[in-house]
Amino acid sequence: MIDSKAGIIGLAIGDAMGVPLEFSIREQLMQNPTTEMEGYGSHNVPKGSWSDDTSMTLATIDAIIQDKNINYNTIGTNFLKWMKNGEYTANGKVFDIGRTCLTAISKFEVKQEKAEKCGGTNELDNGNGSLMRILPLVYYCYSRNMDEKEIYEVVKNVSSITHGHEISVMGCFIYVMYGIELLSNKNLLDAYKIIKKIKYNEYFSKETINKYDRILKHNIKKYSLNDIKSTGFIINTLEATLWVLFNTESYNQSIIGAINLGDDTDTVGACVGGLAGLYYRFENINKTWQKDLLKYDYIVDLCNKFNEVLNTKESTNLF
C-alpha cells in the first residue's frame, strides 16, 4: 500500500520551518542555527505557516483526487483558486508567490485552455517554482507503474503549467525519478547511482544536461558546504536538496541542515522534507513539528484521499 503522508507532511514541515528564515544569511544561521518551528520572521506569519510550496503541492494532490488521474487543466484551475481565493493555504492568505508562477497562472486565467502551455519558456524562468510542488508525481507515477517515457511526459506537462523551460523540466524529472527509486526501497546513494545512468539525451539538449553536471557527472555529496548554493534557481535548489540528504542521517537532521543553509529556506526545506519524509518514514518525523504545523488534520485528510486514488488501480489518463 502506498502512503503519501510521510512525504507530504515532510514537505509541509520543511516549508513551514523555512518560512521565517527565508532570505537569511547562511553565516549568521550557522552561528545561531534554528532547530525548532518558529513564527513571524521574514514573512510575519504565525508559527507553523506554510508557503506556496505546500499550497501548490496540495492543489496538485486535490486535482488528482478530483479526477482520479492527471488533468493539467484541473491542476491549473486549483492553482488559480489558490492564487485568487487563498484556497490550500494555512490561513486563507497567499504570500511568497513567485513571478513566474504569477505570470503563468494569470495567463491560464485569461486563456482557460491547455494549462501545460502557460508556463514560462525563457531561460530566466527557471526558478524552483515547479520543483517545489512536483512530489505528488513521485507517488502517482509509481502507483501507475509508468515507464520512463511516460514519467517524462507527465513531469514535463505538470512542470510546464508554470515552468516550461527544459532546465526546469529536467530538474523536476531528476527529482521525480530519484523519489521513485526511494519509493522502490533503494537507499539514498543507490538511488543516486541509478538516476545518474538515465539517458537524459533522449529528452533534453546537451546544453541543458551539461548544466546538471555536478549532480550527474560528479558526486554532489562530496562538495563542500561553500560550494552549495541555496538560491531560488532550480539547479541550485536541486543540488542543495541532494547534498543535504546525502550528508545527514535522519529526517530531523535533514530539515535542520536544509533551513540553515539560508536564502530560499522554505523551498529547500520543502524539497528536502518531501524526499526525507518519504525515505525515513512518518514515524521518524519530529512529533513536535507535526503538532506545530497549521491545519495538520486538513493535510492528513487530503493525503488519505490521495492514498485512495493511488491504491486504486485504474487506467492512467493524461489530459
Side-chain angles (χ1 to χ4, degrees), residues 222-242:
K222 294 186 177 180
Y223 282 81
S224 71
L225 174 61
N226 290 336
D227 290 325
I228 299 300
K229 297 178 181 178
S230 48
T231 73
F233 179 41
I234 187 170
I235 295 173
N236 291 344
T237 300
L238 185 59
E239 287 183 351
T241 295
L242 294 173

Side-chain angles (χ1 to χ4, degrees), residues 277-294:
L278 182 160
Y279 182 69
Y280 289 110
R281 304 187 186 282
F282 183 75
E283 59 268 24
N284 294 308
I285 296 176
N286 186 299
K287 299 299 185 291
T288 301
W289 297 347
Q290 292 182 48
K291 187 185 299 183
D292 287 338
L293 192 65
L294 294 183

Side-chain angles (χ1 to χ4, degrees), residues 212-254:
Y212 286 94
D213 272 0
R214 297 210 317 172
I215 292 173
L216 299 177
K217 292 187 179 178
H218 303 286
N219 186 349
I220 197 69
K221 179 181 190 293
K222 294 186 177 180
Y223 282 81
S224 71
L225 174 61
N226 290 336
D227 290 325
I228 299 300
K229 297 178 181 178
S230 48
T231 73
F233 179 41
I234 187 170
I235 295 173
N236 291 344
T237 300
L238 185 59
E239 287 183 351
T241 295
L242 294 173
W243 185 87
V244 169
L245 286 172
F246 298 153
N247 286 286
T248 52
E249 296 180 348
S250 68
Y251 174 84
N252 302 332
Q253 275 188 13
S254 72

Side-chain angles (χ1 to χ4, degrees), residues 94-129:
V94 175
F95 67 94
D96 200 28
I97 184 170
R99 171 189 59 82
T100 305
C101 287
L102 176 63
T103 301
I105 298 168
S106 298
K107 182 178 178 181
F108 175 69
E109 180 181 18
V110 173
K111 298 281 187 181
Q112 279 295 304
E113 60 181 3
K114 290 194 178 297
E116 70 272 25
K117 301 296 183 183
C118 291
T121 56
N122 189 286
E123 190 157 358
L124 295 176
D125 296 323
N126 283 308
N128 51 26

